[in-house]
Amino acid sequence: MNVLKRPLITEKYAAMNEVGKYAFEVDKKANKVEIKKAVEKMYGVTVEKVATMRSLGKVKTKYTKSGAVTGRTSLIKKAIITVKDGEIIDFYSGI
C-alpha cells in the first residue's frame, strides 16, 4: 500500500511550508504512524507531528438531455506534517 499519494501545493500550503509544515494527500486507510514512517523514509526528515483530516468531495452537477445529474467527487484524506526545526522538504528537486 502506497501511503503518500501526492504533496498538496497551493498558496495556503506554500505559506505553511515557510514554518516547517507540509501537506500531503494520503491513503484513506492510512493512520498517523504509517504516514510518519512514509514521510521519514521518502524525504529523510524527522517528523514531529502529524495532523490528519478527511474532506468530503465537492458537489458536481451535470446537465444532460435527460435532466440534471448530481453527485460528489471522491473523499480525500489530507495530512499536515510538522518537521523538526531546520529541516525542509524540497518538492521541486526532481524537476
Side-chain angles (χ1 to χ4, degrees):
M1 175 173 81
N2 192 5
V3 177
L4 300 177
K5 291 187 177 180
R6 65 186 176 103
L8 298 174
I9 303 171
T10 62
E11 288 183 25
K12 178 181 179 179
Y13 294 130
M16 291 172 62
N17 291 351
E18 303 297 325
V19 293
K21 294 185 179 186
Y22 300 91
F24 293 92
E25 182 180 337
V26 296
D27 187 8
K28 294 175 197 165
K29 296 180 182 178
N31 61 32
K32 292 181 180 186
V33 176
E34 293 171 341
I35 295 167
K36 179 179 178 177
K37 287 179 183 177
V39 170
E40 287 178 344
K41 182 179 177 185
M42 182 173 277
Y43 295 104
V45 296
T46 305
V47 175
E48 289 186 340
K49 184 179 175 184
V50 178
T52 59
M53 65 189 91
R54 294 171 16 132
S55 61
L56 284 176
K58 295 180 179 179
V59 176
K60 300 277 187 166
T61 302
K62 185 188 302 183
Y63 297 98
T64 63
K65 289 181 180 179
S66 60
V69 178
T70 304
R72 283 192 176 270
T73 58
S74 60
L75 173 135
I76 65 168
K77 187 172 186 177
K78 300 177 190 177
I80 307 296
I81 308 297
T82 305
V83 296
K84 189 175 177 182
D85 288 339
E87 294 185 357
I88 60 168
I89 296 176
D90 187 14
F91 294 129
Y92 304 108
S93 64
I95 296 176

